[in-house]
Amino acid sequence: MAETDTVRRPTAEEIERLFVGSAPRHTRGEVASLAGVPPELARRIWRALGFATPADDTPAFTDGDVEALRRVAGMLGGETIDEETVVRMARALGQTTARLAQWQSEIMIGALFDPAEPPGDQELAGAVEATRRLLPDFEALLVHVWRAQLAAAGTRLLAMADVGAETGPGRPSMAVGFADLVSFTQVSRELDEQGLAELVENFEAKTSDVVAGHGARLVKTLGDEVLFTAPTAETAARVALDLVDVLREEGRDVRIGLSYGPVLPAMGDVFGTTVNLAARLTAIARPCTVLVDAGLAEAVEGSPGLLLHRIRRRPARGLGVIQPYVLRRPPEGPA
C-alpha cells in the first residue's frame, strides 16, 4: 500500500521528454541558425506542421528540432525540391500525423482507463510506462507501414497512368465511390455517445477492410460516409457489392454511388465532376443498392459476376440529367 501511495502523477515535461527526447532549450532564431535554414522558412515549416509559433525569446525547440531542420536544409541543397514543395510536404506530414497521434492516444486511453472514472495518479503513471515500453515498436511499425504505403501509392499511380493516359497530365481516370450509412441521423439519436462512437468506428473498420482487400484506396471517412477510389471500374464495382453484403451482415444498410472518369488528385483527396457524380448517385440510391454512372456501366459491361440494370434518367444537382444504372450480382442458379 505504501508503494502505491508514492506513485506520482506524470508531469507535462516528463511526457514531452518521453516522446521528443531532450527538453526544449532553443529559441526560434537559434534553431534556425543552428540548422542553417532561413528564419522565415523555419517559421513556415513549423506552422505547416501544425505547431503554434512561440515568442522570439521562448526556448521552445529541442535538439531534435534542430536535426529535423538540418535535414530540410539538406533536401533544399539539391535540385529536386524547392521551398514551396518542402512546406507542402510539411503540411501533409503535420495534418496526417496529428490525426494519427490523436487517434492512437484515444485508443490507448480507451484500453487502459475506465471511461466511467477519471484516471488517478497510478493509472496515469501506468499509461506512461506502457507507452515507454511500446514506443520503439510503434515507431518502427510506423516507418515500415509508411514505406509500404508509399510503394502502394506508386503502384496505383502507374496503374492509373496506364488506364487513363488519354485524359492528360494530372487528370488520371479512376473509379470513385461513396458509401453512406442509411438512417444515420435517426440511429444516432437513439445511441449514447459511446454507442455512437462504436457505430462509426465499426463502419469505418468494415469499409476499410473491404476496400483494402480489393487493393483500392480509402480516401477519407466522414462519420456516416466514406469515399474510396479504385484504379479500375471493375475493382470499384466489386468493392461496392462486398460493402453492401458485409454491412448488411452487421445489421446496417448502406447506399453506394460509383462513377468512372477523370479526377484531380490533390492533398491526398480527389476532386472533380467524377467525384461529384458519385456523390449525387449515392444521394438517390435506395438502401442496400449500388448506383453507377454510364461510364462505369460501360467499363464493367460483360464482367463476370456483375449485372447492370438501366433505370430512368433523372436530374442531378449541378450536373444536369444523368443516366444511372443499378449494379447487382447475378441471381444464383439452382444447385
Side-chain angles (χ1 to χ4, degrees):
M1 185 69 177
E3 182 179 348
T4 300
D5 291 340
T6 62
V7 172
R8 181 175 55 80
R9 174 183 292 262
T11 65
E13 291 76 13
E14 289 170 341
I15 293 174
E16 185 174 26
R17 192 171 292 112
L18 169 63
F19 288 105
V20 299
S22 60
R25 65 193 189 95
H26 304 292
T27 65
R28 274 203 303 160
E30 290 169 348
V31 73
S33 176
L34 289 169
V37 173
E40 177 58 23
L41 177 59
R43 185 191 68 81
R44 293 184 64 199
I45 289 172
W46 296 126
R47 292 292 294 273
L49 288 170
F51 300 119
T53 303
D56 290 343
D57 58 350
T58 301
F61 299 94
T62 68
D63 293 337
D65 294 324
V66 174
E67 179 58 29
L69 273 183
R70 281 183 180 145
R71 292 184 181 276
V72 171
M75 289 188 288
L76 290 172
E79 298 179 355
T80 305
I81 59 175
D82 56 16
E83 290 187 5
E84 288 304 317
T85 302
V86 165
V87 172
R88 291 178 64 196
M89 292 289 283
R91 185 169 293 110
L93 179 63
Q95 292 184 8
T96 303
T97 52
R99 184 169 187 260
L100 173 63
Q102 184 66 30
W103 195 351
Q104 288 183 317
S105 297
E106 291 167 358
I107 291 172
M108 289 295 292
I109 289 171
L112 296 174
F113 299 149
D114 182 351
E117 297 288 339
D121 292 353
Q122 185 173 7
E123 288 79 13
L124 291 171
V128 170
E129 182 55 34
T131 301
R132 193 188 313 278
R133 294 195 310 269
L134 295 172
L135 191 58
D137 290 331
F138 273 139
E139 185 174 8
L141 181 61
L142 173 62
V143 173
H144 171 74
V145 173
W146 171 66
R147 284 179 172 269
Q149 289 287 7
L150 280 178
T155 301
R156 286 194 298 267
L157 288 173
L158 286 176
M160 287 187 294
D162 292 339
V163 172
E166 72 280 0
T167 60
R171 299 280 291 179
S173 285
M174 67 174 72
V176 178
F178 279 95
D180 179 49
L181 274 176
V182 176
S183 303
F184 177 78
T185 301
Q186 177 183 344
V187 172
S188 64
R189 294 196 187 105
E190 300 169 357
L191 298 173
D192 58 18
E193 292 180 354
Q194 183 63 30
L196 181 59
E198 292 174 356
L199 169 63
V200 171
E201 183 171 3
N202 183 67
F203 172 58
E204 293 187 2
K206 294 296 183 182
T207 54
S208 177
D209 288 348
V210 171
V211 170
H214 285 274
R217 174 179 169 243
L218 186 66
V219 177
K220 62 183 175 183
T221 59
L222 304 168
D224 62 334
E225 190 173 54
V226 298
L227 168 63
F228 64 92
T229 60
T232 68
E234 183 177 344
T235 298
R238 300 193 188 283
V239 167
L241 292 174
D242 283 355
L243 280 175
V244 171
D245 292 344
V246 167
L247 290 166
R248 187 157 42 192
E249 291 175 0
E250 295 287 314
R252 301 297 176 192
D253 293 340
V254 67
R255 55 170 65 92
I256 300 177
L258 298 178
S259 181
Y260 183 77
V263 301
L264 175 64
M267 298 178 293
D269 207 335
V270 287
F271 303 90
T273 301
T274 302
V275 181
N276 296 337
L277 181 52
R280 301 292 185 269
L281 288 166
T282 305
I284 62 177
R286 298 174 64 84
C288 297
T289 299
V290 180
L291 284 188
V292 308
D293 74 330
L296 193 137
E298 180 181 359
V300 303
E301 183 70 42
S303 297
L306 301 177
L307 187 65
L308 293 162
H309 173 66
R310 188 168 72 175
I311 60 177
R312 67 178 177 84
R313 292 161 61 88
R314 60 192 67 197
R317 181 169 56 88
L319 298 172
V321 178
I322 61 174
Q323 175 60 69
Y325 293 76
V326 178
L327 176 71
R328 297 192 181 100
R329 302 186 196 276
E332 295 183 2

